[in-house]
């Protein structure tokens, strides 16, 4: 049972130890100085740097400064000497009034440590104030019947100094009737009293003049006087008496002006003037006197100015009541001022550490501020708070100082700026509050690497691109700011097919645009793997990588490659075998081709482009198989030549061709025997046909040149004749010379004219009949179709021809011509028999030579023109109208006309069995009349 009884004593002992330790720590951090009042500005109070243990240069580096609360700064730090000096004149009486000792407390802040040191300075008093009476003259009325020994209180002198410098004694001028007695009160005040030593006789002396001297104990001694006039009165045996020796009242500090506080009352049983009582302030300080007013007749005390609990919370004064006979009574009045919550808390920021790094550790001090309230009690108790959603917390420091600390690690990327509202609220009723707003900027650190929007990228690029082509643009975002957010792009080094990656692609370090450094080939490689690195410019730099795959898209840039039949390297021709007994659909061979492209670009189709015997073979569209369409006949050539085209499906499509030689034979020996007949003969007689053809072409060219020369001569003669007719005044119109030279002369030659001229001696009119000319592959003059332009002028005619009727010649009958289906040879649309093919035996060759020689003879005799008979070249006269030049090659395309860009070519329409343009007068213009 003894242990439980001792536990309360142990708890009290522990609490006592903690309290003593707290008081010792507080006192250990307190630095004390003393300074006399009324010193000049800059007076050295003490060496603060030495007492804080700091060097002079550390005062500025560590941010040592004075912080005080709501009052004029009395002291300052001297930065050069490190001393604490006065900032101005210090008046101890104004600062502390009668309080002793007079202590001034403030704090010194070492900012880098956020450490506060208490400073206590005692302001010592000097004798700089004289004792002062409230009035310089005083009248005291004493009844003549007053007994000796009666005491009369005298006004006290006030000395604001303290100690020996305050009021010490009073002296009264020498007098036979009065003496001075000094009483010391319980509070140490000295109260002078006038003592009547001898009875007064008004008839002897009606008034007495005294001088009261008040002196202090300072050095030098100071004093002041008051003149007292003692008036001897008639008998008044009752003095005014107050109802209470002390009047007490409590009023709130916010009472309006003129409010009645209380009423003092004194009664006097005398009658008449001796019973009339008047009131006045007897003892009141200079600061209190303007605040109150006293009605001298009623004794009512009211406020003359506003009261302020913070300035003075208690007032004490004495009221004197005096009757008409000079008798007096005194009482005391105590006025207590009650505090009301009329002051808002005041918040003063002492230190603000902004901006702050986002990696600042938890518990970093952001703001040091002071929050205080001028009210007292609960009205002066202040509670500070901030928003709950912020990553900060408030902790109370020393007295009314608070520290704002970080409660967690900050993140600038989430919040780069904090608007902190500190609310200081007192505990009064109603509570008053004050808000301050603190803006805290968070400094960025490089704590975020660049990030790509995707985990990987796929880029598609058509092959055969141009060098320097922009391929793709990668973008990485860095939530940091400034240099920490500036991203630099690069490619990770890699080797692809023996070459570094940097030889294939490059990347713009600032924009992230990827460029192709070469033209890619889908057939070389189809994709390119690379790593794109994004690095910021922070310190240290952070980076991240992303995988990028470049897919090369195929383009149709490769033509099909034929694998079979392969082109022999020894110069021989590959031959495929087809037996005579091959049935329709017989597989002769198969064309095998591949395309290096892919997809649709590699889809191949086969078709038969050319065949020596159309309709005999066919090629599979997708298989490339060469098969017979019909059974082989005896009239079919033993050697068949096929041209097979292989085409892909790209855009645009590409193709390749292969020539197949198909031999119609049943066995290999038959093939070898037939191949001997295919070899070209070295006998000069076998090439006779070619020689004859060359001679024929040369003959035609010579005849053509001769006709051109003759035509030019005729035209020149006509032109000369027209000049002579004009000179003789003939009425015929002249013709432009340009119609007879150059290309027009050739045109005239290439046209065949048949005309009849009829002239009469008695008529001035001529009758001319012009047939419509036949144009055969010649350049036609635009003006040849004009009606009013003559083409020739008769040499001997002088008759006008403007009224001559034109009779066009009827076009020849063209029914004898072959239709397209009836034409023999390989150019026909049908497969003809052996009579329609190109002559390939000795008899047909001799016949062709005879035809060419006959054509040359007709041209030499002038009986035939190049335009006579469409496509006949004059051969129809010998071999009948059915034989046309479609049976023989047309060599006129090799004839060149000097001075002209025209060549003698057989029109494509003739080869196709169509009527030539403008030939035989089949045009619609043939029916019109033309004047030539």
């Amino acid at each position: 049972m003894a242990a439980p009884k001792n536990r309360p004593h142990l708890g009290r002992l522990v609490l006592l130890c903690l309290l003593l330790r707290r008081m010792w720590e507080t006192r250990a951090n307190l630095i004390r100085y003393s300074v006399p009042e009324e010193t000049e500005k800059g007076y050295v109070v003490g060496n603060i740097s030495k007492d804080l243990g700091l060097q002079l240069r550390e005062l500025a580096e560590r941010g040592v400064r004075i912080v005080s609360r709501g009052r004029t700064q009395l002291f300052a730090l001297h930065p050069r000497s490190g001393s604490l000096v006065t900032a101005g004149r210090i008046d101890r009486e104004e600062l502390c009034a009668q309080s002793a000792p007079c202590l001034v407390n403030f704090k010194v802040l070492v900012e880098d440590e956020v450490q506060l040191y208490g400073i206590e300075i005692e302001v010592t008093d000097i004798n700089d104030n004289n004792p002062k009476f409230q009035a310089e003259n005083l009248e005291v009325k004493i009844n003549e019947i007053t007994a000796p020994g009666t005491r009369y209180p005298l006004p006290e002198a006030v000395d604001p100094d303290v100690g020996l410098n305050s009021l010490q004694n009073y002296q009264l001028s020498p007098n036979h009737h009065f003496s001075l007695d000094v009483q010391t009160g319980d509070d140490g005040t000295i109260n002078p009293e006038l003592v009547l030593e001898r009875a007064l006789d008004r008839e002897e002396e009606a008034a007495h003049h005294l001088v009261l001297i008040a002196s202090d104990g300072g050095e030098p001694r100071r004093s002041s006087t008051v003149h007292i006039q003692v008036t001897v009165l008639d008998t008044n045996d009752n003095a005014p008496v107050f109802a209470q020796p002390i009047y007490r009242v409590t009023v709130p500090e916010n009472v309006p002006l003129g409010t009645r506080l209380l009423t003092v009352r004194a009664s006097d049983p005398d009658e008449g003037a001796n019973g009339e009582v008047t009131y006045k302030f007897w003892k009141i300080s200079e600061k209190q006197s303007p605040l109150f007013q006293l009605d001298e007749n009623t004794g009512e005390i009211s406020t003359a100015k506003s009261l302020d609990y913070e300035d003075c919370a208690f007032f004490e004064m004495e009221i004197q009541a005096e009757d008409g006979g000079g008798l007096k009574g005194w009482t005391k009045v105590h006025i207590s001022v009650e505090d009301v919550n009329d002051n808002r808390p005041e918040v003063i920021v002492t230190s603000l550490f902004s901006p702050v790094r986002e990696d600042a550790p938890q518990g970093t001090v952001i703001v040091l501020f002071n929050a205080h309230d001028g009210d007292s009690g609960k009205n002066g108790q202040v509670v500070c708070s901030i928003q709950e959603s912020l990553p900060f917390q408030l902790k109370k420091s020393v007295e009314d100082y608070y520290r704002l600390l970080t409660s967690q690690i900050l993140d600038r990327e989430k919040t780069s700026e904090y608007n902190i509202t500190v609310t200081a609220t007192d505990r009064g009723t109603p509570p008053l509050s004050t808000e301050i707003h603190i803006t805290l900027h968070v400094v960025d650190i490089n704590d975020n690497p660049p990030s790509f929007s995707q985990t990987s990228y796929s880029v598609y690029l058509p092959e055969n691109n141009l060098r320097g082509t922009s391929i793709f643009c990668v973008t990485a975002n860095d939530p940091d700011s400034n240099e920490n957010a500036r991203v630099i792009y690069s490619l990770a080094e890699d080797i692809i097919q023996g070459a570094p990656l940097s030889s294939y692609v490059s990347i713009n370090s600032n924009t992230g645009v990827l460029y192709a450094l070469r033209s890619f080939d889908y057939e070389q490689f189809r994709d390119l793997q690379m790593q794109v690195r994004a690095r910021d410019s922070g310190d240290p730099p952070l980076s991240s990588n992303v995988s990028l795959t470049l897919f090369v898209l195929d383009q149709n840039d490769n033509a099909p490659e034929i694998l079979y039949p392969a082109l022999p390297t020894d110069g021989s021709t590959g031959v495929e075998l087809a037996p005579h007994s091959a049935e329709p659909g017989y597989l002769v061979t198969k064309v095998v081709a591949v395309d290096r492209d892919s997809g649709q670009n590699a889809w191949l189709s086969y078709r038969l482009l050319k065949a020596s015997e159309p309709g005999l073979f066919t090629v599979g569209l997708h298989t490339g198989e060469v098969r017979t369409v019909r059974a082989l006949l005896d009239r079919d050539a033993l050697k068949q030549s096929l041209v097979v085209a292989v085409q892909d499906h790209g855009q645009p499509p590409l193709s390749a061709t292969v020539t197949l030689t198909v031999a119609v034979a049943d066995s290999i020996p038959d093939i070898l025997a037939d191949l001997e007949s295919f070899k070209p003969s070295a006998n000069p007689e076998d090439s006779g046909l070619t020689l004859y053809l060359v001679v024929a072409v040369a003959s035609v060219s010579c005849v053509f040149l001769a006709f051109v020369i003759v035509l030019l001569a005729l035209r020149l003669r006509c032109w000369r004749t027209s000049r002579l007719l004009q000179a003789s005044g003939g009425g015929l119109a002249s013709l432009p010379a340009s119609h007879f030279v150059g290309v027009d002369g050739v045109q005239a030659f290439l046209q065949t004219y048949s005309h009849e001229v009829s002239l009469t001696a008695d008529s001035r009119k001529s009758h001319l009949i012009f047939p419509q000319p036949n144009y055969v592959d010649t350049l036609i003059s635009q003006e040849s179709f004009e009606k009013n332009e003559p083409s020739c002028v008769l040499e001997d005619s002088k008759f006008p021809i403007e009224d001559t009727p034109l009779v066009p010649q009827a076009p020849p009958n063209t029914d004898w011509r072959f239709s397209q289906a009836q034409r023999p040879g390989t150019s026909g649309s049908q497969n003809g028999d052996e009579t329609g093919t190109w002559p390939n035996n000795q008899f047909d060759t001799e016949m062709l030579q005879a035809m060419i020689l006959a054509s040359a003879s007709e041209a030499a005799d002038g009986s035939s023109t190049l335009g006579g008979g469409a496509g006949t070249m004059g051969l129809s006269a010998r071999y009948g109208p059915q034989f046309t030049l479609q049976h023989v090659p047309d060599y006129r395309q090799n004839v060149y006309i000097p001075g002209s860009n025209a060549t003698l070519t057989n029109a494509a329409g003739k080869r196709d069995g169509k009527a030539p343009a403008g030939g035989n007068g089949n045009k619609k213009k043939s029916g019109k009349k033309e004047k030539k």
Side-chain angles (χ1 to χ4, degrees):
M1 297 299 294
K5 292 182 179 180
N6 293 332
R7 286 179 182 176
H9 298 286
L10 292 176
R12 293 172 186 171
L13 182 61
V14 170
L15 291 175
L16 180 62
C17 292
L18 292 175
L19 180 61
L20 291 176
R21 179 182 178 184
R22 180 64 178 173
M23 293 176 63
W24 181 84
E25 289 177 353
T26 303
R27 194 167 186 83
N29 290 333
L30 194 64
I31 301 175
R32 295 182 175 82
Y33 300 100
S34 66
V35 59
E37 66 171 332
E38 302 296 337
T39 56
E40 60 181 357
K41 181 180 179 181
Y43 180 84
V44 177
V45 178
N47 193 338
I48 191 68
S49 62
K50 180 179 179 182
D51 296 335
L52 293 178
L54 301 174
Q55 299 295 329
L56 290 179
R57 59 182 178 83
E58 293 181 324
L59 294 179
E61 294 176 355
R62 303 184 66 177
V64 179
R65 58 190 177 93
I66 296 175
V67 291
S68 60
R69 183 182 67 184
R71 64 169 59 186
T72 304
Q73 188 63 262
L74 301 177
F75 301 92
L77 286 175
H78 195 279
R80 295 184 178 178
S81 63
S83 301
L84 184 66
V85 298
T86 57
R89 173 181 168 272
I90 301 176
D91 188 358
R92 193 205 66 80
E93 289 75 28
E94 181 180 357
L95 192 64
C96 300
Q98 297 295 322
S99 299
C102 181
L103 301 177
V104 177
N105 294 280
F106 55 89
K107 300 293 188 295
V108 172
L109 171 65
V110 181
E111 198 163 49
D112 62 340
E113 298 177 353
V114 196
Q115 182 67 36
L116 292 169
Y117 293 90
I119 304 297
E120 184 181 273
I121 299 178
E122 180 182 1
V123 181
T124 59
D125 183 50
I126 63 173
N127 193 20
D128 57 342
N129 292 285
N130 295 327
K132 186 178 180 180
F133 289 95
Q134 188 174 358
E136 296 181 357
N137 298 304
L138 177 64
E139 182 181 6
V140 179
K141 296 178 181 180
I142 301 176
N143 200 292
E144 61 181 352
I145 63 172
T146 302
T150 304
R151 296 174 175 271
Y152 296 92
L154 296 177
E156 296 177 2
V158 177
D159 192 337
D161 295 329
V162 296
L164 292 176
N165 296 328
S166 64
L167 179 64
Q168 297 296 321
N169 55 52
Y170 293 94
Q171 293 179 359
L172 186 65
S173 60
N175 188 277
H176 298 290
H177 294 275
F178 298 94
S179 64
L180 182 65
D181 187 16
V182 179
Q183 300 291 332
T184 301
D186 296 336
D187 55 356
T189 59
I190 301 175
N191 301 316
E193 293 182 350
L194 185 62
V195 180
L196 181 61
E197 296 291 340
R198 295 174 61 183
L200 300 178
D201 188 355
R202 179 183 172 278
E203 287 70 25
E204 287 184 10
E205 190 174 1
H208 300 270
H209 297 279
L210 304 175
V211 177
L212 179 62
I213 301 172
S215 303
D216 59 21
E219 191 65 35
R221 186 180 298 272
R222 295 177 178 270
S223 63
S224 62
T225 60
V226 61
H227 296 277
I228 302 174
Q229 180 180 347
V230 179
T231 301
V232 181
L233 301 178
D234 288 336
T235 302
N236 185 15
D237 53 349
N238 292 295
V241 177
F242 285 93
Q244 299 178 16
I246 298 176
Y247 288 85
R248 293 181 175 87
V249 65
T250 300
V251 297
E253 61 176 329
N254 59 349
V255 293
L257 297 180
T259 301
R260 183 177 65 86
L261 303 180
L262 77 161
T263 301
V264 294
R265 294 187 178 277
S267 61
D268 192 331
D270 293 333
E271 294 181 355
N274 294 329
E276 296 179 358
V277 180
T278 59
Y279 304 92
K280 66 177 180 179
F281 287 114
W282 179 248
K283 290 177 62 175
I284 189 171
S285 65
E286 293 182 1
K287 290 184 177 181
Q288 298 175 4
S289 179
L291 300 177
F292 305 98
Q293 59 183 6
L294 175 64
D295 191 328
E296 63 178 5
N297 297 318
T298 61
E300 185 178 283
I301 300 175
S302 61
T303 57
K305 289 186 177 181
S306 299
L307 303 180
D308 191 353
Y309 174 86
E310 288 70 35
D311 290 343
C312 185
F314 179 78
F315 298 94
E316 182 180 6
M317 62 195 74
E318 289 187 11
I319 305 298
Q320 173 184 284
E322 183 178 1
D323 59 16
L327 296 180
K328 302 174 182 178
W330 293 270
T331 187
K332 290 184 178 181
V333 176
H334 292 172
I335 301 176
S336 299
V337 180
E338 187 179 29
D339 182 40
V340 297
N341 193 22
D342 60 342
N343 292 285
R344 293 181 179 276
E346 182 180 359
V347 179
I348 300 174
V349 176
T350 305
S351 296
L352 173 62
F353 302 95
S354 177
V356 62
R357 289 170 56 91
E358 63 175 322
D359 61 344
Q362 183 177 351
T364 300
V365 179
I366 304 300
V367 181
L368 177 67
F369 64 91
N370 174 268
H372 66 279
D373 195 319
D375 296 326
S376 63
K378 289 186 176 182
N379 297 333
Q381 297 178 4
V382 180
V383 177
C384 295
S385 62
I386 60 173
Q387 304 99 304
E388 295 181 357
S389 60
L390 298 180
F392 304 100
Q393 60 180 351
L394 280 175
K395 283 191 176 181
K396 192 169 184 179
S397 183
V398 180
E399 296 180 357
D400 296 333
Y401 285 89
Y402 290 84
R403 292 184 299 171
L404 181 65
L405 312 175
T406 57
S407 60
Q408 63 186 37
I409 302 298
L410 305 180
D411 190 353
R412 190 207 64 84
E413 287 68 41
K414 293 182 179 179
T415 307
S416 61
E417 180 181 287
Y418 291 94
N419 292 317
I420 307 170
T421 301
V422 178
T423 303
T425 306
D426 58 24
R427 298 182 182 273
T429 304
L432 301 179
S433 62
T434 301
E435 290 183 353
I436 62 168
H437 301 280
I438 301 172
T439 301
L440 178 64
H441 298 279
V442 181
V443 177
D444 181 51
I445 63 169
N446 194 24
D447 58 342
N448 291 283
S451 61
F452 293 92
S453 59
Q454 300 181 18
T455 56
S456 63
Y457 293 91
S458 297
V459 182
Y460 300 91
L461 176 67
E463 65 173 333
N464 303 321
N465 58 286
L466 297 178
R467 296 183 60 185
T469 300
S470 174
I471 301 175
F472 189 65
C473 180
V474 294
T475 303
N477 295 321
D478 195 322
D480 295 326
S481 63
N482 299 329
E483 287 297 314
N484 296 333
R486 188 168 67 89
V487 180
I488 299 175
Y489 301 92
S490 62
L491 294 175
E493 291 296 332
D494 196 3
I495 302 297
I496 298 177
Q497 295 185 1
L501 177 63
S502 58
S503 65
Y504 291 91
V505 291
S506 67
I507 191 169
N508 189 308
S509 60
N510 295 323
T511 62
V513 177
L514 202 66
Y515 296 96
L517 298 182
R518 63 170 61 181
S519 179
F520 292 99
D521 189 358
Y522 176 83
E523 288 70 34
Q524 184 179 2
F525 54 83
R526 302 188 177 185
D527 59 81
L528 193 64
Q529 301 283 343
M530 63 191 76
Q531 291 287 329
V532 179
R533 177 181 294 109
R535 176 176 56 86
D536 57 28
S537 301
D539 186 19
L542 301 178
S543 62
S544 60
N545 297 337
V546 68
S547 175
L548 188 146
T549 304
L550 174 62
F551 293 96
V552 181
L553 300 180
D554 182 43
Q555 298 292 312
N556 192 23
D557 59 339
N558 291 281
E561 181 180 354
I562 298 176
L563 302 180
Y564 183 84
L567 184 64
T569 58
D570 57 355
S572 61
T573 303
V575 178
E576 301 294 338
L577 181 63
H580 291 281
S581 60
E583 297 296 329
Y586 175 78
L587 177 62
V588 178
T589 184
K590 182 176 181 178
V591 178
V592 180
V594 295
D595 196 318
R596 296 176 60 191
D597 297 323
S598 64
Q600 187 174 354
N601 298 329
W603 294 354
L604 301 181
S605 62
Y606 303 83
R607 63 188 178 92
L608 185 60
L609 187 64
K610 183 179 180 182
S612 60
E613 188 69 31
L616 181 58
F617 296 97
T618 183
V619 178
L621 179 62
H622 301 295
T623 61
E625 295 177 349
V626 180
R627 296 179 181 272
T628 58
V629 177
R630 58 177 176 80
L632 295 177
L633 303 177
D634 294 338
R635 59 183 175 86
D636 293 333
L638 298 179
K639 176 183 177 183
Q640 299 289 335
S641 179
L642 306 178
V643 178
V644 178
V646 183
Q647 181 176 328
D648 57 27
H649 286 71
Q651 291 296 330
L654 300 178
S655 63
T657 60
V658 62
T659 301
L660 300 177
T661 300
V662 179
V664 180
D666 294 329
S667 62
I668 298 300
D670 295 341
I671 296 177
L672 297 178
D674 292 339
L675 287 178
E676 293 295 332
S677 63
F678 293 154
K679 294 183 180 179
S681 176
N683 191 352
E685 295 180 359
D686 296 337
S687 60
L689 178 59
T690 304
L691 178 62
Y692 291 147
L693 291 176
V694 173
V695 172
V697 172
S699 301
V700 173
S701 300
C702 293
V703 172
F704 175 76
L705 292 177
F707 275 121
V708 170
I709 295 172
V710 173
L711 179 62
L712 292 177
L714 292 175
R715 292 300 181 185
L716 182 61
R717 183 179 178 184
C718 290
W719 173 77
R720 188 174 180 183
T721 304
S722 65
R723 298 284 292 183
L724 293 176
L725 291 176
Q726 291 178 0
S728 60
L732 294 178
S734 60
L735 296 177
S738 62
H739 284 228
F740 306 102
V741 295
V743 179
D744 293 336
V746 180
Q747 293 175 354
F749 168 72
L750 295 177
Q751 297 178 6
T752 302
Y753 290 93
S754 175
H755 58 273
E756 178 183 352
V757 181
S758 299
L759 299 177
T760 59
D762 57 351
S763 177
R764 299 182 61 87
K765 298 182 178 179
S766 299
H767 181 71
L768 288 82
I769 299 176
F770 289 90
Q772 185 69 18
N774 295 328
Y775 299 95
V776 182
D777 294 325
T778 58
L779 298 176
I780 303 173
S781 174
Q782 294 178 357
E783 300 172 354
S784 63
F785 295 103
E786 297 180 359
K787 294 181 180 180
N788 298 327
E789 183 178 342
S791 61
C792 185
V793 178
L794 297 180
E795 180 179 357
D796 299 332
S797 177
K798 297 183 180 179
F799 302 100
I801 61 175
E802 50 271 46
D803 296 333
T804 303
L806 301 178
V807 181
Q809 183 179 355
N813 187 9
T814 59
D815 295 339
W816 56 270
R817 296 182 180 273
F818 283 123
S819 65
Q820 179 70 19
Q822 293 173 340
R823 291 181 181 179
T826 58
S827 61
S829 60
Q830 297 179 358
N831 294 328
D833 53 8
E834 293 180 356
T835 60
T837 60
W838 186 266
N840 56 3
N841 52 31
Q842 183 66 26
F843 176 77
D844 292 339
T845 303
E846 293 177 356
M847 182 182 294
L848 179 60
Q849 294 176 358
M851 290 165 50
I852 295 175
L853 292 177
S855 175
S857 299
E858 288 181 358
D861 296 340
S863 61
S864 176
T865 62
L866 292 177
T872 63
M873 202 176 177
L875 299 179
S876 61
R878 294 194 180 196
Y879 299 99
Q882 289 81 11
F883 191 88
T884 64
L885 280 183
Q886 295 179 2
H887 292 77
V888 296
D890 189 357
Y891 291 96
R892 286 180 294 172
Q893 60 183 351
N894 299 324
V895 178
Y896 171 74
I897 302 174
S900 172
N901 56 1
T903 58
L904 297 178
T905 60
N906 190 17
K910 294 179 181 181
R911 292 191 300 267
D912 297 335
K914 297 180 181 179
N920 297 326
N922 290 332
K923 284 193 173 182
K924 293 182 180 180
K925 293 184 179 180
S926 62
K928 297 182 180 180
K929 294 182 180 180
E930 297 182 359
K931 294 182 180 181
K932 302 294 183 177

